[in-house]
Amino acid sequence: MERIARIEATGGPEVIGWADVDLSPPGPGEVRMRNTAIGLNFIDTYFRSGLYPVPLPSGLGQEAAGVVEAVGEGVTDFKAGDRVATFGPPIGAYATARNLPAASLFRLPDAVDDETAAAVLLKGCTAEFLVERCARVQPGWTALVHAAAGGVGQILVQWLKAVGAEVIGTVGNEAKIAAARAAGADHVLLSRTDDIAARVREITGGEGAAVVFDGVGKATWEASLASARRRGLIVSFGNASGPVEGVDLAALSRHGSLFVTRPTSFHYYATPEERTAGAARLFAMLESGAVRAEIGQRFALEDVVEAHRALEAGKTIGSTILLP
């Protein structure tokens, strides 16, 4: 019997329950993957809360690393014993094992261990497409990264430094300043006390940031608008504080003819070619040392409710993994 997290209704962390299931053999095009490490991501809380609707009952979690135990009919790219990882799109990674489409798997190189893969695959591939294919950041640009001590934030900072950008990071409290600096941020601001836009203008000689990476959402939207330079780009990729609503397009003009995009990973990892190339780029950055996985917390899988509470309360630093 396998242990699988389930939600019967949306709400707070307390809606997460557990079921013991006897997995059927993998179907055509599927593999059975036994999880060895599972990634915790803010998007998991969106599915749990109902911000991103899913049919109920539903599993939770997208990111995991593990080993292939069995393959279904027609699967030729993987075999039993292969080390693999996934970040979706199927959800249900909060499990000891599950069947999922072979097309959703990435083969892990020997140099990337399971905990690192679970901590970094979704976040690292997110940073890859945000920096290199969405914003197309150029050497010498100044980038503002909100929540720079978080899981995605730390990897974004590292990636931006690797491509030659100057990075201004924001963090929620003084305890997180060291983590943002260790990731490579040139300047670190406190989002709750500093006037972010004024400090960004001061640092950039009045110009503003060429690109703003905003995974926080509602709470930082106005600061992002005011921090971007003329014809700058705001990449709004998350809703940690709630979604940005009622966007006034005229505000983009008033703040300097700004560009705004609201990207999602699976529009950049839509084809096999995009998935292969994006993951290969991430693995190369890991192997070169330009990007590192900072695992700030480890929870037992059965303690996922506690992990969700810590994540939403801003009490985590770097990546968080769940261990079956």
Side-chain angles (χ1 to χ4, degrees):
M1 301 293 286
E2 303 299 342
R3 199 80 166 131
I4 295 177
R6 290 270 176 82
I7 57 170
E8 304 285 339
T10 56
E14 68 280 357
V15 302
I16 303 173
W18 293 93
D20 292 316
V21 301
D22 188 5
L23 286 181
S24 60
E30 291 186 333
V31 304
R32 175 178 293 181
M33 176 181 172
R34 179 156 302 280
N35 292 333
T36 54
I38 299 158
L40 178 71
N41 294 283
F42 230 101
I43 195 172
D44 302 347
T45 72
Y46 304 159
F47 291 119
R48 189 211 70 223
S49 69
L51 179 63
Y52 290 178
V54 292
L56 297 173
S58 174
L60 282 177
Q62 291 184 288
E63 184 179 34
V67 62
V68 173
E69 286 195 328
V71 301
E73 180 183 352
V75 175
T76 58
D77 292 338
F78 299 99
K79 65 182 185 304
D82 285 346
R83 295 179 58 245
V84 294
T86 182
F87 64 72
I91 63 175
Y94 294 178
T96 53
R98 61 173 172 153
N99 296 330
L100 71 168
S104 67
L105 298 179
F106 298 89
R107 190 184 303 277
L108 289 178
D110 292 340
V112 179
D113 65 77
D114 291 6
E115 288 196 0
T116 296
V120 80
L121 184 64
L122 176 56
K123 301 171 187 69
C125 287
T126 297
E128 178 275 321
F129 88 77
L130 288 177
V131 173
E132 302 204 348
R133 293 189 281 142
C134 179
R136 299 183 181 182
V137 176
Q138 302 299 307
W141 282 18
T142 299
L144 173 63
V145 177
H146 289 298
V152 175
Q154 287 191 31
I155 297 172
L156 265 175
V157 171
Q158 293 173 45
W159 209 297
L160 287 162
K161 293 304 298 179
V163 301
E166 180 180 14
V167 180
I168 304 170
T170 74
V171 296
N173 56 61
E174 292 187 357
K176 296 185 177 183
I177 292 175
R181 289 202 180 278
D186 299 286
H187 312 273
V188 182
L189 312 179
L190 289 170
S191 59
R192 296 174 185 172
T193 56
D194 285 333
D195 183 331
I196 299 301
R199 292 285 288 116
V200 170
R201 298 286 173 182
E202 177 185 340
I203 291 166
T204 60
E207 184 178 57
V211 59
V212 179
F213 292 99
D214 191 342
V216 176
K218 183 178 181 179
T220 48
W221 174 246
E222 292 298 330
S224 294
L225 283 174
S227 296
R229 76 180 184 189
R230 179 169 53 91
R231 300 198 306 271
L233 171 65
I234 299 174
V235 181
S236 177
F237 66 94
N239 316 286
S241 67
V244 177
E245 298 175 334
V247 177
D248 177 9
L249 291 180
L252 304 181
S253 174
R254 290 195 299 271
H255 285 282
S257 298
L258 303 183
F259 295 85
V260 175
T261 182
R262 180 60 176 88
T264 187
S265 298
F266 296 114
H267 291 158
Y268 285 82
Y269 280 77
T271 69
E273 293 78 15
E274 289 171 341
R275 290 170 61 82
T276 298
R281 177 69 171 133
L282 169 62
F283 293 147
M285 292 287 270
L286 287 168
E287 291 178 29
S288 72
V291 168
R292 305 175 306 281
E294 178 64 32
I295 300 174
Q297 303 75 214
R298 292 173 174 84
F299 289 85
L301 177 58
E302 295 271 353
D303 294 332
V304 68
V305 170
E306 180 186 347
H308 270 235
R309 287 181 175 140
L311 180 65
E312 291 183 297
K315 295 180 179 180
T316 62
I317 294 178
S319 298
T320 301
I321 60 172
L322 309 171
L323 299 174

